[in-house]
Amino acid sequence: MMAASSAWANNLQLSGLDEASVNTAANTITFSFNLTQDNSWRNGTNYDAVWVFMKYSTDGGATWHHASMAGSGVNPAGFSIPTQDQGQFEIFVPSDEKGLFVQRSGQATGSINLTGIQFVWNYALDGVSQAVAQAPNTLHKIFGIEMVYIPQGAFYAGDGSASGSSEFAFTQGSSVTVPWYIQNENAIQTTSNTSGSYYYQSTGARGDEYPSGYSFLITSAFPKGYNAFYLMKYQITEGQWVAFFNTLPVAARPYRDITSSGTHAGGKGSEGVVNRNTISWNAAIPASQAMTLRPARPVSFVSWPDVAAYAEWAALRPMSELEYEKAARGADNSPTPGEYVWGTTSLTSPTAGDITPNADENGAETLNDTANINSGSVAWTSGDGRSGGIAQGQSGPVRVGIFAASVATSTNLRASSGAGFYGNMELSGNLAEPVVTVGRPEGLNFQGSNGTGNLTPQGFATNADWPGMDANNSLGVDSTIGIGYRGGDFQSPNSIVYATSARTYAAKDPDSQGCMQRYDPSCGVFQGGRLARTAS
């Protein structure tokens, strides 16, 4: 049996995937691997974690499938942390057994270097025979994604500001600015009351967005952010996108080709560097590998069906717009009108020459000023934007984690690094965050189901409750209706949209607005992707 490993993330490396033992009676194979990670933590509030999952191929790499774990819970039988690190770390396998979280079990901060983590693949659960599981042309790859644990707790949605400073924020009535208070996952009934209730303010989107003051039900199944969940520390990077794309069957790749320029889906329309996106793929040779020159940069020119496909493949799920506010503001923190995700009402944008060193960007570049958000359509003249650089003079996203890496000393590290309350990075600016809106019935169908790990043959997500599901359930998630955007992007024309509670684009998805799905200059939202997972 051959084994391969994949390693990609901003501060994360996975290596050394190898078969440790076989249990033919239980139809399982135990694997071991190594994990290194920078900037890991666990404190009295929350912690970060690494979501690890495996793909296997029984045809020499032509097609890849999601591997099921053999067990669930904390440190299930056969799953182990290296002996010298036991008591400091733990493995948590969710109940659907689609992967495992490696996370600290005690309070500490710093780098991680774990050698010989073990997990168990239940190949029979995936319909694979013993002979096939151990055949020479059966391959394996592991993948890891840095996540942040968002603990259970009540929080405020809306910030109490007038509409001019946080557009269309949640309020308790038509004549008050008091924010919603989410104190459980019970159903929420919106009303037209002037105060003391849950009041919805329309964003003015086309289509079937609810009008202001409309009475509708947000069911108990819709994720409201009260219950605990995991959320990606960073947005999906180009390196992560390419790793995903290169496991897709040939038939699915044209549907997920972000370098194309189709009339409906759109895309960057080039194999070159456009708005700092460096991904390329030779569509004339469908089996060829996609490539990126900047794996630590968040992926742009993706549509909601693209992001949903990644979520399905990685066994993650969309986040709701209420979960976005929880991750940004934290539990029971009284909001400040007009505050940004780092908890203050001021922001600092970079200038064009701030990337250092002034050379090709390698994922370790920093900014040489006090910026905490990529905004203002900066046409970079440093780093890759310098004269002769691969993205000379282009505006676009900067690498994930750059603001935190650029902070030397600060009395307010959260504000200086532009972090959300729990440690999620770049929740504002850079690229807009796709979220499930509460403002349309297509969004309210969402019940928080996690991805299964497997896509349709054409590369579409299949979860029936996710926004954009084909009406006949035949193709998969191919529409954007039910999705909106929070946090703004690098070119947002007004700083209002960067506010934690601003809902300017919260119900304005491309399909309902008559725009191309990936990026349409006439609609003006440059989106990325950040995904969640229910913590159970």
Side-chain angles (χ1 to χ4, degrees), residues 30 42 50 84 87 116 177 214 217 252 265 278 297 370 373 396 428 463 478 490:
T30 299
R42 184 169 188 139
V50 179
Q84 66 272 21
T177 59
Y214 192 77
L217 184 70
T278 74
R297 191 168 293 168
T370 57
I373 183 173
S428 286
N463 290 54
D478 67 340
F490 67 88

Side-chain angles (χ1 to χ4, degrees), residues 274-353:
V274 179
N275 287 110
R276 294 172 57 84
N277 179 300
T278 74
I279 289 178
S280 61
W281 176 60
N282 187 352
I285 307 176
S288 64
Q289 299 285 286
M291 299 179 65
T292 172
L293 301 175
R294 299 293 183 263
R297 191 168 293 168
V299 65
S300 55
F301 290 102
V302 286
S303 66
W304 168 242
D306 292 330
V307 174
Y310 186 92
E312 183 81 85
W313 173 84
L316 298 175
R317 66 164 175 81
M319 68 168 160
S320 73
E321 62 170 314
L322 292 173
E323 289 177 314
Y324 172 85
E325 290 210 33
K326 169 70 171 292
R329 179 170 290 124
D332 272 330
N333 289 325
S334 297
T336 299
E339 68 182 355
Y340 299 110
V341 299
W342 46 86
T344 74
T345 57
S346 62
L347 57 79
T348 304
S349 300
T351 58

Side-chain angles (χ1 to χ4, degrees), residues 58 130 423 497:
T58 59
Q130 176 188 334
V497 303

Side-chain angles (χ1 to χ4, degrees), residues 56-77:
Y56 67 93
S57 172
T58 59
D59 54 14
T63 58
W64 293 88
H65 311 279
H66 200 89
S68 297
M69 300 295 102
S72 62
V74 176
N75 299 326

Side-chain angles (χ1 to χ4, degrees), residues 36-102:
T36 61
Q37 182 193 10
D38 297 331
N39 306 320
S40 171
W41 82 88
R42 184 169 188 139
N43 55 37
T45 301
N46 77 314
Y47 48 88
D48 70 348
V50 179
W51 173 241
V52 179
F53 55 96
M54 188 173 80
K55 299 289 181 177
Y56 67 93
S57 172
T58 59
D59 54 14
T63 58
W64 293 88
H65 311 279
H66 200 89
S68 297
M69 300 295 102
S72 62
V74 176
N75 299 326
F79 292 72
S80 66
I81 295 293
T83 302
Q84 66 272 21
D85 299 300
Q86 291 177 5
Q88 303 174 60
F89 298 90
E90 64 187 14
I91 293 173
F92 168 56
V93 181
S95 57
D96 62 2
E97 302 180 356
K98 295 297 182 181
L100 58 142
F101 287 102
V102 179

